Amino acid sequence: MPEHLAPHGAEVERDKIGHPLTRPQLIATDLDGTIIPYSQTHTGFVSPRTLAAFHAAQEAGVGIAFVTGRPMRWMSALAPILGPMGPAIVSNGAIIYNMNTDTVLEAHPMDQYLVTDVANELRGIYSGAIFGAETLTGLVMEPQFISSTARAQANRQAHRGQSATEEPTDSVAVRSSRWIETANITYELAQHPEVVKLMVKVNGHDPDDLLLNVRAHFGKLVQVTHSAPGVSMLEISRGDVHKAATLADYAESLGVHANDVVAFGDQRNDEQMLRWAGTGYALESGHPGLLEQADVIAPACDDDGVAEMIEHLMTLPE
């Protein structure tokens, strides 16, 4: 698997559970499946207890960073819920985004020719591959990338002035007004060249097997991960772009060492982030492979696991 950052935390003093003995300076957290239940992906619901825990941490001087695979298109609707607590590192680290002002602070797009080459190679390996590409101007997608059911739902909600959403099983919320449909995504790259995340669906394949095969094929050329439980969809970024890399740059800009960062996640796209942070927390409702890499197993997302852990962390000395 491509890896560009050393793990941290070996020198962190811990209790018998694995918690650090001192309060962190920065809390980094995934969203879906971590603080937003998968049943609420389409609404963006975050429990009052979790919000209260974040606010308490912020008032104590601890920084907050939301680090997600979600695209920008999903984030502005979360601004009233999450408030001005910190930046949103979106598209698996490809963008730092201010969701309160709808401003891109930093972007790390893929080279247009790299996108084309990767897509063409994957078509050669998987004849049924279907592609979508998150760009700075919207979602470029092939006809079957979003189901007809989800399209109809999105159009109904758009007409009612609500946020359009993809069916929960795909964990993909979208605004239909920012969909760019094409028979082949490579045809649109000249008009939408700033691809921050290439996505490929290969129906009928086990997601973990698909991930391992594609990672082995491309090596360090690109980052390959997945984040939607049970969905055979991979997310591909530039070779040096993942959640941990962008979070590390952000923490450095604050003068915060990795050992003073705690990170929360639940899926394979959180792997590097949990290894890089001084203390990595995996939700017990998350991917089994991530649980093996965490310092602490937190209670499930539906049980406010992140809130419970933050409440404990705020009792620690600075």
Side-chain angles (χ1 to χ4, degrees):
M1 179 181 64
E3 185 59 76
H4 301 280
L5 294 175
H8 290 87
E11 299 177 357
V12 174
E13 293 186 84
R14 306 184 184 282
D15 64 19
K16 62 182 181 180
I17 295 174
H19 299 293
L21 297 183
T22 58
R23 186 183 301 173
Q25 296 179 29
L26 178 64
I27 295 170
T29 183
D30 175 51
L31 295 178
D32 297 288
T34 301
I35 64 170
I36 299 173
Y38 282 116
S39 62
Q40 297 294 327
T41 293
H42 59 298
T43 68
F45 172 81
V46 180
S47 75
R49 181 183 179 185
T50 299
L51 289 173
F54 281 124
H55 287 303
Q58 188 178 40
E59 290 175 5
V62 178
I64 308 293
F66 301 109
V67 190
T68 177
R70 284 187 172 222
M72 290 188 299
R73 297 177 293 108
W74 297 16
M75 298 303 297
S76 59
L78 291 179
I81 299 171
L82 299 176
M85 281 192 279
I89 297 173
V90 304
S91 290
N92 291 330
I95 297 174
I96 300 181
Y97 176 68
N98 185 325
M99 58 188 163
N100 295 283
T101 61
D102 191 26
T103 304
V104 175
L105 304 178
E106 185 175 305
H108 305 285
M110 300 175 70
D111 179 83
Q112 176 182 339
Y113 299 103
L114 175 62
V115 176
T116 299
D117 290 345
V118 169
N120 287 341
E121 284 193 46
L122 287 173
R123 287 189 206 279
I125 300 170
Y126 301 104
S127 59
I130 307 165
F131 290 89
E134 289 290 352
T135 77
L136 294 180
T137 50
L139 172 66
V140 178
M141 63 179 182
E142 295 173 354
Q144 301 305 313
F145 187 76
I146 293 178
S147 70
S148 57
T149 301
R151 291 166 184 268
Q153 179 185 4
N155 288 331
R156 286 195 302 271
Q157 290 179 322
H159 286 308
R160 293 197 299 265
Q162 300 174 0
S163 296
T165 59
E166 167 73 341
E167 53 194 342
T169 54
D170 278 338
S171 297
V172 179
V174 293
R175 293 183 187 174
S176 57
S177 62
R178 295 176 72 174
W179 291 347
I180 303 100
E181 188 172 315
T182 177
N184 185 314
I185 60 160
T186 60
Y187 299 164
E188 290 290 327
L189 293 183
Q191 287 71 41
H192 304 276
E194 294 182 296
V195 174
V196 292
K197 183 169 71 170
L198 175 66
M199 295 167 287
V200 57
K201 287 184 177 181
V202 188
N203 296 324
H205 287 257
D206 177 80
D208 287 325
D209 290 343
L210 185 65
L211 176 65
L212 291 175
N213 290 338
V214 174
R215 278 180 172 174
H217 179 82
F218 287 110
K220 296 182 179 181
L221 180 65
V222 290
Q223 286 283 334
V224 185
T225 190
H226 75 76
S227 63
V231 180
S232 299
M233 182 180 77
L234 301 183
E235 303 164 43
I236 301 171
S237 304
R238 212 171 71 186
D240 60 343
V241 172
H242 49 71
K243 287 185 174 186
T246 305
L247 177 61
D249 288 345
Y250 176 69
E252 184 178 11
S253 74
L254 300 177
V256 175
H257 189 276
N259 284 344
D260 296 313
V261 179
V262 299
F264 295 90
D266 77 306
Q267 290 299 322
R268 300 297 295 269
N269 63 333
D270 298 311
E271 290 172 325
Q272 291 105 324
M273 181 170 73
L274 265 61
R275 284 201 301 271
W276 171 81
T279 304
Y281 290 81
L283 279 290
E284 67 177 2
S285 49
H287 192 286
L290 190 69
L291 303 186
E292 297 172 358
Q293 302 181 48
D295 297 298
V296 181
I297 307 301
C301 177
D302 289 351
D303 296 329
D304 287 328
V306 171
E308 184 175 326
M309 298 299 96
I310 292 176
E311 290 164 357
H312 169 73
L313 292 169
M314 290 305 102
T315 68
L316 302 177
E318 297 183 40

